[in-house]
Amino acid sequence: MGFHFGFIVALLCLGVVGSRHASMPAELYWKSVFPNTPMPKSLQDLLRPVNKNNFVKLKDDIEISAGGGYLQNYGNPNAEFKSANHDWKSGSHLISTASLFFFESDLHPGRLMKLLEFTRTENEATFLPRAVADSMPFSSNKFSDILKLFSMGPKSVGSKVMKQNIENCERESVGGEDKYCATSLESLIDHSVSRLGKKMHVLSTEVEKETKVEKFTIGKGMKKIGEKEIVCHKLKYPYAVFLCHSLDKTDVYKVPLIGSDGTKVKAIAVCHKDTSTWNPRHLAFLVLKVKPGSVPICHFLAKETIVWVPN
């Protein structure tokens, strides 16, 4: 990526390295806030010394979904939930075979599901230190500056993905939703603590090993772990950005899964009990053939997604 890395170096010298009041390294900040809570591996993997490798190029074959993602964008009335890769309305192969959404009654031992969330990684972008991230433009009205910073053309697929995700961060909240976008690990921590306090579990889906299989069976030992939570989805962006939100009347489950090759997954599933304020064209209603507010709708969370649940 041809971004202006000199700009980042200057920020580091001014805001991090050269200051007597330099920000605490992200990992130490975590330990200072959660001394008895281990950091999930999915977050540990996003910590890296700051250099040009912190940024990833959004590839031209990256999927663009109208509204910026079907798991984060419940309330955008203009979202049509289609993409260059899949025509949801016509009933693509993906929709007809994958368990993107399901009913709460499907969560029982022995249930077979086809899941794509555990066989792919959205992107490998890592966190920036808060001082650097806070100095980076991140808004629709500064999008031209963002494109210049990363040397991206306005018509490139990557720029369209970035714009969608920024707009998703700026959209109005759906009924009962508390929404926030975190551009650093420190801001992710601060937001969650401000909502739930410091006594909480921090969870993510854990996959035993890399696998390409998509067929999983629910094992024994499923457990409901909370009804009040914050879910943080990692967005497609050149550095790590999370869209965090909580929705009223939502249940969180730990679900043991076993892949067709024997791979074990400690999965996190979320069930939304009230979908009455969702976009009626949301993909979940198309897949399950139900109307908003009629039944609880569930989905598994991707490996990069973080869930904060109070003790």
Side-chain angles (χ1 to χ4, degrees), residues 56-253:
V56 298
K57 181 178 180 179
L58 301 183
K59 300 178 181 179
D60 287 341
D61 61 354
I62 194 169
E63 179 178 314
I64 303 177
S65 56
Y70 57 83
L71 289 184
Q72 305 107 32
N73 198 16
Y74 304 98
N76 184 351
N78 298 316
E80 297 179 358
F81 300 96
K82 64 182 180 180
S83 74
N85 299 346
H86 307 293
D87 180 0
W88 309 122
K89 291 183 179 180
S90 65
S92 70
H93 175 70
L94 177 65
I95 287 296
S96 62
T97 60
S99 304
L100 291 176
F101 297 95
F102 49 91
F103 299 115
E104 199 164 13
S105 58
D106 292 326
L107 285 174
H108 60 80
R111 174 72 177 184
L112 180 64
M113 293 185 165
K114 182 175 181 180
L115 302 168
L116 308 178
E117 289 86 347
F118 313 135
T119 60
R120 63 186 182 189
T121 299
E122 290 297 323
N123 65 59
E124 298 178 353
T126 56
F127 281 118
L128 296 178
R130 174 154 52 184
V132 177
D134 288 349
S135 300
M136 303 278 280
F138 190 83
S139 66
S140 295
N141 59 13
K142 293 184 178 179
F143 192 66
S144 59
D145 295 334
I146 295 173
L147 293 181
K148 291 178 183 177
L149 179 63
F150 294 105
S151 299
M152 299 179 68
K155 295 183 179 181
S156 66
V157 175
S159 69
K160 293 178 182 178
V161 171
M162 290 168 61
K163 186 176 182 181
Q164 283 184 342
N165 283 323
I166 291 174
E167 290 175 347
N168 203 6
C169 287
E170 296 173 340
R171 67 167 171 82
E172 292 186 8
S173 297
V174 68
E177 180 189 37
D178 180 25
K179 180 174 64 68
Y180 174 79
C181 280
T183 58
S184 67
L185 177 59
E186 295 91 334
S187 63
L188 188 66
I189 294 170
D190 289 348
H191 170 74
S192 300
V193 169
S194 71
R195 298 301 191 271
L196 301 178
K198 294 183 179 181
K199 296 181 179 180
M200 68 176 85
H201 299 291
V202 188
L203 308 168
S204 63
T205 292
E206 299 178 11
V207 182
E208 180 182 44
K209 62 182 180 181
E210 291 293 326
T211 180
K212 297 297 183 182
V213 303
E214 298 177 347
K215 292 182 179 180
F216 293 85
T217 302
I218 297 179
K220 296 181 180 181
M222 187 181 72
K223 181 181 179 182
K224 182 177 178 180
I225 57 176
E227 297 180 353
K228 181 180 180 182
E229 80 296 321
I230 296 174
V231 178
C232 297
H233 306 271
K234 190 182 183 195
L235 302 180
K236 297 180 179 75
Y237 207 75
Y239 55 91
V241 175
F242 281 81
L243 186 154
C244 300
H245 62 166
S246 61
L247 288 165
D248 290 342
K249 300 180 181 179
T250 302
D251 292 336
V252 182
Y253 293 90

